[in-house]
Amino acid sequence: MTCRTPPGHRRLRHALVLASLAAVLACAVVAGLALGSVRIPPGEVLTILTGGAQPSPFRTIVLDVRLPRVLLGAVVGAGLAVVGTVLQALVRNRLADPFLLGISSGASAGAVLVLVLGVGGGIGAGITTTVAMPAAAFAGSLAAMTLVYTLARRGGTMTGGRLVLAGVTVSYILSALTTLVLVISARPEHFQEALFWSLGGLGSARWGTLAVPAVVLAAGTAVLMALARPLDLLLVGEEGATVLGLDTARFRAAVFVLASLVTGVMVAASGAIGFVGLLVPHAARMAVGAAHRPLLPVAALGGAAVLVVADLAARTVAAPQDIPVGVLTALTGGPFFLWLMRRRPEGAPV
């Protein structure tokens, strides 16, 4: 006999998890604003945030340098976690992740192409940053996702191994293409900037780079929340979802486009940061289950907190050296991925 949790208990648990994650995120934000090469007392940080502080170097550091970086980290972390959650449902495999499936590499390749070709340079540097870069990153991520999915589906059966192999293969190809473009351009500054796209980092965060990712995250998450029921239907399998009235092919295509858009914009703002979209959805499912309506907000808050903490570590662990945050997430996510590969049988669904 199976004992099922009453709906009221599930709602209470969901609310407690959300409140706990919100508290963790708030503490992480304050820590991210207080700690660094210059340490600022947390009380002073709160005073500055509430507008009670007089103009001072601390105020400039908090509001103009650290706050945009911390907020961008929260936005990018939430976006990657939400996309990872959705991709795992779409392909019914918990190994799916924007980084592992080559989507981040595609977005990076698109962004680097715009950087090297100088699109928008004649109109103004801001055009490249706010329009051309996210557009190129989106196009690259969508092309990579389409190619990976097509390769993994060859033969009619898509398993976890085939999916990861296709993603790694596409990532290598896109990395080689990016390197070739950089070599042909023969400009040293392009290599330095391209390193940012390949390793990921939030050091270039400014208030002007925050608006587009924040809007895309809010809109994309709202749309995915409205699609929570169809995403749940995919968990029962393609045949079962079709019987229940879902046009799986059309639905997958539409959500793949949306996931590529969100990923492309996040990568355009922060570079390719891996494993956030793999780690956080697993932890979120353990907390609230697999239903997407409660799962997506938990994943978003969890991803935001994880990346803010990871970026704080990247700024302080080897201070004054600023380590690319993608290096730390890879060091953490790599062992977890290997454990997950050993734990789950080949082709195991979500």
Side-chain angles (χ1 to χ4, degrees):
M1 181 175 180
T2 302
C3 181
R4 302 188 65 180
T5 305
H9 290 182
R10 288 199 299 269
R11 286 193 292 269
L12 176 61
R13 182 179 181 181
H14 182 219
L16 289 175
V17 170
L18 284 176
S20 300
L21 285 174
V24 170
L25 177 59
C27 293
V29 168
V30 173
L33 297 176
L35 301 178
S37 57
V38 177
R39 292 179 177 258
I40 304 173
E44 180 72 13
V45 169
L46 294 175
T47 301
I48 292 172
L49 292 178
T50 55
Q54 298 296 322
S56 67
F58 282 172
R59 183 182 176 88
T60 301
I61 291 172
V62 169
L63 296 183
D64 296 336
V65 179
R66 292 183 182 172
L67 186 56
R69 178 168 181 160
V70 168
L71 292 180
L72 183 62
V75 169
V76 171
L80 294 177
V82 167
V83 170
T85 302
V86 171
L87 288 177
Q88 290 169 13
L90 288 179
V91 300
R92 297 190 67 239
N93 194 291
R94 293 185 183 179
L95 301 178
D97 160 77
F99 187 78
L100 293 173
L101 296 187
I103 306 177
S104 294
S105 297
S108 296
V112 169
L113 282 173
V114 168
L115 178 69
V116 171
L117 296 176
V119 177
I123 303 174
I127 298 297
T128 301
T129 302
T130 59
V131 178
M133 196 78 77
F138 163 59
S141 62
L142 181 59
M145 181 70 258
T146 303
L147 182 57
V148 168
Y149 188 73
T150 301
L151 291 174
R153 291 280 295 184
R154 286 183 65 87
T157 302
M158 182 172 62
T159 65
R162 292 175 66 91
L163 192 67
V164 173
L165 181 60
V168 171
T169 302
V170 170
S171 293
Y172 274 120
I173 293 173
L174 291 173
S175 296
L177 175 63
T178 303
T179 302
L180 177 62
V181 171
L182 290 170
V183 170
I184 292 175
S185 72
R187 295 180 61 179
E189 65 271 19
H190 288 161
F191 283 94
Q192 187 172 3
E193 293 191 49
L195 186 64
F196 160 77
W197 298 111
S198 63
L199 298 179
L202 303 171
S204 63
R206 299 292 183 269
W207 285 111
T209 63
L210 185 60
V212 173
V215 170
V216 170
L217 171 66
T221 304
V223 172
L224 292 172
M225 286 289 292
L227 299 175
R229 183 177 179 277
L231 288 170
D232 290 342
L233 292 180
L234 287 178
L235 300 182
V236 304
E238 191 156 345
E239 291 183 4
T242 302
V243 169
L244 293 172
L246 180 65
D247 186 342
T248 56
R250 182 174 297 180
F251 178 75
R252 273 200 175 96
V255 179
F256 273 139
V257 171
L258 179 57
S260 299
L261 172 61
V262 176
T263 302
V265 172
M266 299 304 151
V267 171
S270 67
I273 298 174
F275 294 103
V276 174
L278 177 68
L279 293 166
V280 175
H282 283 272
R285 286 191 189 91
M286 288 189 287
V288 297
H292 285 84
R293 188 169 296 279
L295 178 62
L296 288 172
V298 170
L301 280 176
V306 164
L307 195 53
V308 169
V309 171
D311 184 59
L312 174 60
R315 289 191 287 115
T316 57
V317 70
Q321 184 69 33
D322 194 343
I323 299 174
V325 68
V327 173
L328 293 185
T329 59
L331 287 174
T332 304
F336 176 81
F337 174 70
L338 294 176
W339 171 80
L340 190 62
M341 287 283 288
R342 290 191 60 183
R343 180 172 177 266
R344 297 190 63 81
E346 174 70 9
V350 174

